[in-house]
Each structure stands twice: as structure tokens, then as C-alpha cells.
Amino acid sequence: MVATSTIATLVIASAASLFMAWAIGAGSSGSTPFAPAVGANAISVMRAGFFVGILGLAGAVLQGANVTEAVGSELVLFPSGGGLSAIAAIVALLTAAVLVAVGIFTGYPIATAFTVTGAVVGVGLAMGGQPATAKYIEIVSLWVLTPFVGGGIAFGTAWSLRHESTTEERLVPLLGGLVGVILANIEFVLLAPGSEQASVARAVARAAGTPMVPSMVAVTLLIGVLAGGLLYLDIRADADAGQRHFLLVMGGLVAFSAGGSQVGLALGPLVPLLGEGPTAAIPITGVLLFGGLGLLVGSWTGAPRMIKALAQDYSSLGPRRSIGALIPSFIIAQAAVFFGIPVSFNEIIVSAIVGSGAAAGGGEVSREKMGKTVLAWVGSLALAFALSYGLFWVISATL
């Protein structure tokens, strides 16, 4: 009887996790990465939904471990060790998923990281856990800085691309080279043995057997020069086509980064139930694949509505402003993945869209829409915390 009850509880928790992954794929990770490209008419809504699903799945498997572990074990501290119970995980996941789903169907981008963080902390404290104050400071700092850093970089990039004193033929390839430098140093699971992660630069330096730091610098510069050089040739051949190609590549990179970050929001509460390390019932790669498939289905079935909302309701974007929005989105997303901090892609992209829009006067950005969106973000954090805490308390008292 005990075994049957345990299995049934685990199945329900897994279904809740899958529902959460679907909601994230339909909302945050599925809608935001290609929204600027759709707004610039570089890709259709349906094609954007298709590609963001594939790339999100790849990002989930290759980069999802850091945030998954943070959400699963670092948001609440338990003196006796361990993580959330099965019931707590179910309550947290269902609470967050319902709130995100409400945002999807009402057209407002609820910040997934806000809802999941609030729900996990709520049930964790209701279980008797202690607040992880240091982690909360990291998370809140990133959330507060994101609009200023992302919006500021987006404004500067879009303004530079529009300014008469700059030449797009040179500036866009420089931006491409910068993206190449970053790409050379982000970490992937498959480039290191076991469950470890390594960047392309580190993996090449290790394989070459040469001094690590000089080799990594050389590989980084080489990839940056190659990326910038190829984009320069593309821009020289056809400036408009080159911008569109760069815009689509950036959308793909942001979609990949979204999968790496957002899958942890769906899987984090589930992982402690499966065990850790060699004793885990399912390897972390298998768990990430499970969550990635949920993101994929969500992107294909629910993302087009939110893509349209972000691309058309918030701002009418051209190629320059779209590039300006996606570059800081990629940088912030990868920083969050590296440090294992749950981050809202809705917040990243919307802030970047507003920043790039301000470079063109900001007249097309709906202040009313933005105000309601910010209220939805803050409200979802507080509501997720209160609901999950209350529901878990009621269930515990009843059972």
C-alpha cells in the first residue's frame, strides 16, 4: 500500500511538473525570444513558435541543470536536509502553473520566475523550512537590475544603430563578434565528462593540452572574429538581409537560453523527490529531457498568442530595435543560467523592448499596458506565495 501510494504521489507530482513546463513553453520561454523578430517581420508567428520549441528543448537538456538545482534545493533551507515533500511540490507547481496559464489566456505576460519562486518559498516555509536570505538577495538583485541593465543596453544599441554617425556595415558585425565571444564561453553539459559542464573555449583548450588561459583566450577571439567576419560579409552583400539573418540568429540564441533557464522552474520542485547524484531514480539528463519536451509542446500549442501580444501590443519593432532588444536579453539570460538564478524572460524581453523603443522616442509603447504588466508581475509573486502557503497548510491540517 505504501509503495502504491508513493508511486501515485510521484505520478501526480510529475504531471504537475509537466503542466508547469507546458505553461512555461506557452508563455515565458515560448513567446518572448522571437517576439522582436516577429515584430520586425523577419519571421512569421507560427514559424517562430515552431523553432522556439526545438531550440528551447535543446537549451533545457544542455543548460538546464544549474537553475533546476537552485529551484529544487536553494530557495528554502531545511535543518534536516532534503527538499520539498511530494505534496509540497504538487501544491507549488500547480499554484504557479495556474497563475501562468491565466496570464497566457488573458494576454498578460505573467513572470514565471516570480510565480514559481513565490510558490516554492511559500510551501517551503509552510513545511517549516528557513528562508535562504543570501539566495533571495541574489534573485531580487537580478530582478531589480534587469529592467535598468537590459533596457539601458537595448537603448544604447538601438540608438547607436539609428545614429547618423555610426555605420551599420561596421557596427552590426562588431555586435556579432561580441555575441560570438559570449557564445564561446557559455557552458554545455555535453562538453564535459559526466554531469559537469564546460564551454567551447575550455573544451578546445583541454583537448589541445596547451596552457588553459591563453588557449581559452585564443579560441574566444577566433570565434568572435569568425562570427563578426561572416556577418560583415553578409551585410556587405545585402544590408537588409544581413540584419534579418542576425536578428533570427539572436532569436534562436535567446530561445536556447530560455530553455536552459526556464526548464528549472518546472523541474526544480520535482528533483528532490527523485534523489540526487548516483542514487537518483532518473539521471538529471533524463529529467531535463522530460521538462524540455513539456516546453516544446507548450511552445507549439500556446506560444503564438503571447508572441503576437509582445510583438504588436507592446511596441512596433524594426530590425534595429529588435537587435537592440535581443542582445541584452541573451547576455542577461546566460548570466542567470551560469549563476543558477531563476529569471523571468518576460521581464527581460519586455524591458529590452521598452529600452530599444525609447531610442526611437518611445511613442509606440503603451504605458497602460506596461503598468498592468508590472502589477501582474508583483501581484503574481505575492499571490503565489500566499496561495501555496495557505493551500499546503490546509492540506497538512486535513491529512
Side-chain angles (χ1 to χ4, degrees):
M1 179 66 69
V2 174
T4 302
S5 174
T6 302
I7 292 174
T9 303
L10 184 58
V11 169
I12 295 173
S14 299
S17 178
L18 186 63
F19 176 42
M20 186 69 217
W22 174 89
I24 293 172
S28 181
S29 72
S31 63
T32 51
F34 274 103
V38 172
N41 295 319
I43 189 173
S44 68
V45 172
M46 297 307 296
R47 286 185 178 180
F50 174 79
F51 284 113
V52 79
I54 297 295
L55 293 168
L57 170 61
V61 174
L62 296 177
Q63 283 198 306
N66 286 355
V67 177
T68 299
E69 293 173 358
V71 174
S73 60
E74 297 178 15
L75 294 182
V76 181
L77 304 178
F78 293 94
S80 59
L84 300 180
S85 66
I87 297 299
I90 293 172
V91 171
L93 287 168
L94 287 180
T95 300
V98 168
L99 291 176
V100 172
V102 169
I104 293 171
F105 293 115
T106 57
Y108 286 100
I110 300 296
T112 310
F114 285 36
T115 58
V116 173
T117 301
V120 170
V121 173
V123 295
L125 296 183
M127 281 183 61
Q130 301 298 318
T133 305
K135 191 65 177 181
Y136 299 161
I137 293 174
E138 287 184 6
I139 294 172
V140 173
S141 297
L142 180 62
W143 289 355
V144 172
L145 289 174
T146 290
F148 300 100
V149 175
I153 296 175
F155 176 86
T157 304
W159 183 87
S160 299
L161 289 171
R162 293 173 57 87
H163 202 270
E164 296 178 356
S165 63
T166 58
T167 305
E168 290 184 9
E169 189 177 281
R170 296 179 180 178
L171 182 56
V172 173
L174 284 175
L175 294 173
L178 173 63
V179 172
V181 167
I182 297 172
L183 191 59
N185 288 279
I186 64 177
E187 297 184 337
F188 303 96
V189 172
L190 297 181
L191 297 180
S195 60
E196 297 180 4
Q197 301 182 52
S199 65
V200 173
R202 181 176 293 276
V204 172
R206 181 184 298 164
T210 53
M212 183 63 68
V213 174
S215 298
M216 289 182 63
V217 172
V219 173
T220 297
L221 292 176
L222 177 60
I223 294 177
V225 170
L226 286 175
L230 291 174
L231 187 54
Y232 176 77
L233 295 176
D234 198 10
I235 293 288
R236 283 288 301 272
D238 188 330
D240 292 337
Q243 284 188 8
R244 288 196 301 271
H245 296 159
F246 183 44
L247 180 58
L248 291 174
V249 169
M250 288 306 305
L253 290 175
V254 173
F256 179 88
S257 303
S261 173
Q262 302 297 280
V263 72
L265 301 176
L267 298 177
L270 183 65
V271 169
L273 306 181
L274 303 175
E276 299 180 359
T279 62
I282 302 175
I284 186 63
T285 303
V287 177
L288 293 174
L289 178 61
F290 170 78
L293 290 173
L295 296 182
L296 173 70
V297 175
S299 297
W300 284 358
T301 58
R305 175 185 174 86
M306 290 300 294
I307 291 175
K308 178 181 179 296
L310 284 173
Q312 299 179 13
D313 293 349
Y314 282 88
S315 186
S316 179
L317 302 176
R320 298 180 185 89
R321 289 165 59 187
S322 298
I323 292 172
L326 287 176
I327 287 179
S329 300
F330 173 61
I331 294 173
I332 295 174
Q334 283 300 325
V337 170
F338 179 79
F339 290 107
I341 298 176
V343 65
S344 167
F345 263 76
N346 285 328
E347 183 189 15
I348 292 174
I349 289 288
V350 171
S351 300
I353 287 175
V354 172
S356 64
E364 297 175 359
V365 178
S366 170
R367 294 180 181 272
E368 180 183 359
K369 184 78 170 182
M370 287 305 307
K372 291 181 179 179
T373 299
V374 172
L375 288 176
W377 290 344
V378 177
S380 62
L381 174 64
L383 185 60
F385 175 86
L387 285 177
S388 61
Y389 188 100
L391 286 173
F392 183 81
W393 185 86
V394 171
I395 292 173
S396 298
T398 303
L399 299 180

